[in-house]
């Protein structure tokens, strides 16, 4: 009895999703942003955490999700689910597609759904914390780094140049981390979420996530969740 969108969502979930054993929800970065190939998953769920081990050469970012998200609805229904993010929206990026296909094929092989000769690549880390770095001034953003780069605390990420005065302000990182998502060069306003950094937490894994699902990087909501010690690294 809901809206058209609600009726489609109900039909999709009841007719398709509810019959799944596991779900991979494919995403790109949001408009004018791009993402390093990454799995987003609720790593406090043991079944989900085990599922993430099947993806080859793919960063994992702990993200509990929120009500209304497909993967959270699936997990709530007892279906193991993750989101796989890669690249930029509104573009066909062959390299990103190939990386995502390779990662999914490795998962299918691990689940005995796909058989071929397969050589595993270098393991990627799990980030239990991540943070968006925002522009403090408006202007044209010019990045100095790229996806996957490691940044030291105080390191330069990019500059914002005022097209009227030609004055530039530098965006520096207040933390050490790795660039797992970023805005493409564009006009930005103060507070714009420009760089998404994954933060390694080898000890207690207190997950502080500036909510960053691909549809809403601007969200100011912060989630706190304790992950049991010993679950910080995938085997």
């Amino acid at each position: 009895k809901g809206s058209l969108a609600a009726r489609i969502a109900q039909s999709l979930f009841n007719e398709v999703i509810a019959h799944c054993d596991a779900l991979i929800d494919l995403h790109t970065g949001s408009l004018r942003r791009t993402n390093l190939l990454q799995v987003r998953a609720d790593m406090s769920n043991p079944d989900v955490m085990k599922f993430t081990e099947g993806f080859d050469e793919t960063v994992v970012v702990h993200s509990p999700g929120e009500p209304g998200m497909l993967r959270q609805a699936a997990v709530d229904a007892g279906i193991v689910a993750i989101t796989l993010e890669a690249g930029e929206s509104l573009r066909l990026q062959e390299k990103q597609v190939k990386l995502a296909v390779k990662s999914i094929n490795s998962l299918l092989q691990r689940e005995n759904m796909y058989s071929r000769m397969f050589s595993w690549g270098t393991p990627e880390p799990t980030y239990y914390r991540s943070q968006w770095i925002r522009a403090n001034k408006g202007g044209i953003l010019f990045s100095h780094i790229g996806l996957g780069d490691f940044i030291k605390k105080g390191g330069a990420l990019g500059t914002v140049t005022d097209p009227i005065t030609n004055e530039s302000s530098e965006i520096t990182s207040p933390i050490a981390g790795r660039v797992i998502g970023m805005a493409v060069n564009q006009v930005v306003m103060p507070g714009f979420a420009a760089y998404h950094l994954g933060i390694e937490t080898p000890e207690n894994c207190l997950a502080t996530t500036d909510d960053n699902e691909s549809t809403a990087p601007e969200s100011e909501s912060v989630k706190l969740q304790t992950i049991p010690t010993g679950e910080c690294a995938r085997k």
Side-chain angles (χ1 to χ4, degrees), residues 145-157:
I145 47 78
L147 288 174
D149 287 354
F150 292 89
I151 304 299
K152 297 180 179 179
K153 182 177 180 179
L157 296 168

Side-chain angles (χ1 to χ4, degrees), residues 2-227:
S3 67
L4 175 60
R7 295 179 189 212
I8 292 173
Q10 183 188 42
S11 178
L12 173 66
F13 198 89
N14 291 339
E15 299 298 327
V16 180
I17 305 301
H19 301 285
C20 295
D21 299 308
L23 170 71
I24 303 172
D25 186 12
L26 300 178
H27 280 243
T28 66
S30 58
L31 186 63
R32 302 291 291 167
R33 290 181 177 84
T34 183
N35 283 326
L36 185 71
L37 180 66
Q38 60 192 260
V39 166
R40 293 185 184 173
D42 183 358
M43 297 295 280
S44 66
N45 183 310
D47 293 332
V48 173
M49 183 176 68
K50 182 70 176 178
F51 190 65
T52 66
E53 295 176 4
F55 294 89
D56 185 40
E57 295 185 291
T58 307
V59 165
V60 174
V61 180
H62 170 61
S63 176
E66 338 181 297
M69 289 182 179
L70 176 57
R71 68 178 168 90
Q72 188 178 76
V75 170
D76 289 344
I79 302 164
V80 174
I82 61 91
T83 300
L84 185 66
E85 297 262 2
E88 185 182 344
S89 63
L90 304 179
R91 292 184 60 195
L92 180 58
Q93 297 172 293
E94 185 176 357
K95 180 180 178 181
Q96 298 286 0
V97 171
K98 286 182 176 179
L99 290 173
V101 169
K102 181 175 183 291
S103 182
I104 292 171
N105 281 342
S106 68
L107 182 279
L108 295 178
Q109 184 188 47
R110 177 70 69 91
E111 297 292 321
N112 297 316
M113 297 173 67
Y114 183 67
S115 179
R116 69 183 179 102
M117 294 296 294
F118 187 84
S119 177
W120 282 79
T122 303
E124 290 282 2
T126 296
Y127 295 109
Y128 283 87
R129 296 182 59 214
S130 65
Q131 180 176 332
W132 277 97
I133 310 302
R134 299 173 182 272
N136 289 324
K137 294 186 178 181
I140 302 174
L141 173 67
F142 297 96
S143 291
H144 303 326
I145 47 78
L147 288 174
D149 287 354
F150 292 89
I151 304 299
K152 297 180 179 179
K153 182 177 180 179
L157 296 168
T159 57
V160 175
T161 301
D162 187 318
I164 305 300
T165 65
N166 210 34
E167 293 182 358
S168 295
S169 61
E170 192 171 57
I171 301 177
T172 59
S173 178
I175 55 173
R178 187 181 185 189
V179 181
I180 59 175
M182 58 185 289
V184 299
N185 292 342
Q186 60 187 286
V187 174
V188 301
M189 300 296 288
F192 184 85
Y195 303 97
H196 189 201
L197 301 187
I199 309 164
E200 292 196 44
T201 52
E203 295 179 356
N204 60 13
C205 291
L206 179 63
T208 306
T209 303
D210 181 358
D211 186 43
N212 51 52
E213 291 297 343
S214 65
T215 55
E218 303 291 338
S219 172
E220 297 292 347
S221 63
V222 173
K223 296 177 170 41
L224 294 178
Q225 183 169 1
T226 301
I227 306 299

